Amino acid sequence: MLIVMHPSATDTQIHTVTTAVEALGLIAQPIPGSLRTAIGVLGNQGRVDDTTIRELPGVREIIHVSKPYKLVSRDFHPEASIVTVGGVRFGDGLPPVIIAGPCSVESEEQMLSAARIVKQAGAQMLRGGAFKPRTGPHSFQGLGYEGLKLLRQAGDAEGLPVITEVMRIEQLETVCRYADVLQIGARNMQNFDLLKEVGKSGHPVMLKRGMSATIEEFLSAAEYLLAEGNEQIILCERGIRTFETATRNTLDLSVVPLIRAMSHLPIVVDPSHATGRRNLVAPMAKAAVVVGAHGIMVEVHPDPERALCDGAQSLSGEGFAELMRDLKRLQEMLAAG
């Protein structure tokens, strides 16, 4: 339920309504806005009897929100959120943020080279996996904590914020020390214990959509983070599992305008994991920008043919530079109308 107060409502009236909500055994969360103050009501398992609240002074209207996600919705938070990480800003009205780097951290030389390549081409953030959740146990699993150090070193060398995946609660404190953004991968989207702890950390986080997750399940997972007080959340579409086998996954670009209408959180697109094919990454990255993505995350490797992880979907330095030139022209065209 959402209680919308009159623009002229006083602090005393807002406090009275909040107290009335709490008297019902529910949680009241004031949501200040530029044009109004609203009070979100959380903790109910069904429809709330609003009889004692509706006629209180200062109440303009009551909206019953049936969605399982409330804090991430436009109902509770009409204004789009801006997430800022190391001077890089994600959100409406801003140029799409380009995140690039190898799928996995392999060595100091590889990471320094990758960071230099993506920085020179114009990327604003460096990615690299230290812990790799692979489908098979015999595949390269990443360098672990040593990989975190190499990622941080490479980011610092080029002045780039870094993003990497956290897989388990016991890794969280250490990963927070090295990474500017925590990534929760598709396989952990519904690891609710991990979501709660990341929410409590307050650390900027990118939540990837699960391989078979509906949009409602995706936004409900983000609700776990916000419910613990973390407002620094970026969503990521990375493709979903369908019957199609020609690509690694099926990139659902419709989710971008849908989520922009349903939620105030920024959303980026990962065409590398979605397609699994190098020749499809650039066209799908450009398509993502056209439909309104707040950012693109692309895998780039100094030597894709020798990559220990996902080389087939990684762009070379030349390929990434070409993509960045194309994206710049595309943004100019979109801005011109």
Side-chain angles (χ1 to χ4, degrees), residues 158-334:
E158 297 296 333
L160 293 170
V162 301
I163 176 172
T164 196
E165 183 166 355
V166 59
M167 294 174 56
R168 300 193 304 273
I169 292 173
E170 57 266 31
Q171 297 169 347
L172 182 56
E173 182 178 354
T174 303
V175 177
C176 282
R177 288 205 304 268
Y178 287 98
D180 298 288
V181 183
L182 304 172
Q183 176 181 301
I184 295 180
R187 292 172 176 84
N188 270 320
M189 188 204 81
Q190 290 183 311
N191 183 339
F192 300 126
D193 287 340
L194 178 61
L195 294 178
K196 290 177 183 178
E197 293 304 314
V198 171
K200 292 174 185 176
S201 76
H203 208 81
V205 55
M206 176 181 289
L207 176 66
K208 284 196 163 188
R209 183 183 182 186
M211 289 178 282
S212 300
T214 65
I215 294 175
E216 181 175 294
E217 290 168 340
F218 188 21
L219 292 177
S220 295
E223 186 83 359
Y224 272 88
L225 297 165
L226 258 173
E228 298 294 341
N230 192 340
E231 299 180 349
Q232 301 297 300
I233 303 168
I234 305 160
L235 303 174
C236 180
E237 163 62 29
R238 46 82 68 208
I240 54 176
R241 176 172 290 173
T242 69
F243 57 81
E244 185 53 69
T245 58
T247 54
R248 182 174 181 177
N249 296 287
T250 297
L251 180 55
D252 181 10
L253 286 180
S254 68
V255 79
V256 175
L258 276 171
I259 282 185
R260 287 189 59 156
M262 297 165 68
S263 174
H264 56 92
L265 300 176
I267 178 167
V268 307
V269 170
D270 177 352
S272 300
H273 279 94
T275 65
R277 294 175 53 173
R278 186 179 302 126
N279 64 326
L280 296 178
V281 171
M284 299 313 295
K286 287 178 271 191
V289 170
V290 171
V291 298
H294 297 108
I296 306 294
M297 185 153 70
V298 179
E299 292 193 352
V300 180
H301 195 284
D303 188 357
E305 304 305 323
R306 297 187 179 184
L308 297 181
C309 179
D310 289 344
Q313 66 197 36
S314 299
L315 298 181
S316 64
E318 295 81 3
F320 180 63
E322 181 180 357
L323 171 60
M324 291 297 289
R325 290 191 293 269
D326 288 346
L327 288 176
K328 182 178 179 181
R329 287 193 292 267
L330 177 59
Q331 291 174 60
E332 291 171 350
M333 291 172 58
L334 293 172

Side-chain angles (χ1 to χ4, degrees), residues 26-38:
L26 303 173
I27 300 169
Q29 180 165 324
I31 309 168
S34 58
L35 300 177
R36 69 176 191 183
T37 292

Side-chain angles (χ1 to χ4, degrees), residues 98-128 149-163 298-303 315-317 320 324:
I98 309 301
I99 307 165
C103 178
S104 63
V105 179
E106 299 170 8
S107 68
E108 179 179 8
E109 180 183 1
Q110 172 242 16
M111 282 309 304
L112 289 173
S113 176
R116 184 167 55 252
I117 287 169
V118 302
K119 175 63 180 250
Q120 289 177 352
Q124 293 93 36
M125 188 174 292
L126 178 67
R127 63 148 294 151
K149 298 175 184 177
L150 296 178
L151 175 65
R152 180 77 266 170
Q153 177 186 347
D156 289 345
E158 297 296 333
L160 293 170
V162 301
I163 176 172
V298 179
E299 292 193 352
V300 180
H301 195 284
D303 188 357
L315 298 181
S316 64
F320 180 63
M324 291 297 289

